[in-house]
Amino acid sequence: MDTTASSFTLRKNAKRAAEAMIRKGTAPAVDYGIKPSDNGRFEIDWKTAKTAPVTDEVEIQLAEALADQLAAASPPEAAPQRAPAAAEPATTETAPQRALEVEVASQPAPADTEPAPALSEPAPNKWPHGTRVMVRTRKSWREATIISRLDPDHWRAEYPGGGSGMFRAADIRAYDPKRDAMPAKQPRRARATAPETSSRSRYAIDPEAIAAGRLPQRAPVVTSAANPHYQKHFDRLFDLAQAGDWDGVRNYEVKGSNSYSKMVARYRQDLLAVHAASEGAR
């Protein structure tokens, strides 16, 4: 057997190589040492008997010793049962072969491969084609009809008035006629038509008095603190009407375009209307 050891750059590499050879059964001895060589590398120094060659009997003893070490390190159920040495038949098997068989026997049996899980069935389609549903758009719900399923969690729905959209399962609910039916639009109730009455200013003459051709008893009184000067226009027109000067009333000039100027002009027209009604009654 070749007892010449290879050299290694590091001591720990030489130690790892020696232990690996012992495990594999290729080591010339169980005991060893690491010594530095002349070139700065490290060699394995096997502790073997240098006066006697390594025989098959020595190899068998080494293998048996290695087997005992492996059996002690392995679990009890994995330790191989060895018959007494006296009952073992003679064999020409070498120490490396026996060590290899012992190492293989000490390895645990491979675990049975678990069966692959069965593929889960696809989820059933909750909203088939043509289902009438309500879909959520922002903060409101709209009626729609399912037209297709895009994936397990998304559907496409079409609105009654046209157009469509994509919706998640959380944004779709079943259509409930009692809850979701739109009430029919009721025609607006016709309002009672009352005869329109034009808004009458308190500076105008009562329409009944105008129809009767009757002059009021006095001129309107201006109560606005900002427009007291318009009082003279009402008084002047009233005086002309009482005096029967209808041409003076007709030709009375009212200047300005504010609301009080318009009220003075309206009062003048009312006075002329009273005169016309009185003339017509004769």
Side-chain angles (χ1 to χ4, degrees), residues 198-258:
S198 59
S199 59
R200 186 171 62 90
S201 170
R202 57 196 177 97
Y203 298 102
I205 301 176
D206 183 32
E208 294 182 358
I210 294 176
R214 184 177 64 249
L215 285 174
Q217 296 180 358
R218 60 177 183 176
V221 178
V222 177
T223 58
S224 173
N227 299 283
H229 55 282
Y230 280 95
Q231 184 66 53
K232 63 182 180 180
H233 296 292
F234 288 105
D235 293 340
R236 180 60 179 164
L237 286 171
F238 180 75
D239 293 340
L240 290 173
Q242 276 193 329
D245 188 1
W246 297 108
D247 289 337
V249 173
R250 188 177 295 107
N251 297 327
Y252 190 85
E253 185 179 1
V254 182
K255 297 181 180 180
S257 59
N258 58 12

Side-chain angles (χ1 to χ4, degrees), residues 10 44 59 99 198 220 241:
L10 299 175
I44 304 173
E59 291 180 357
S198 59

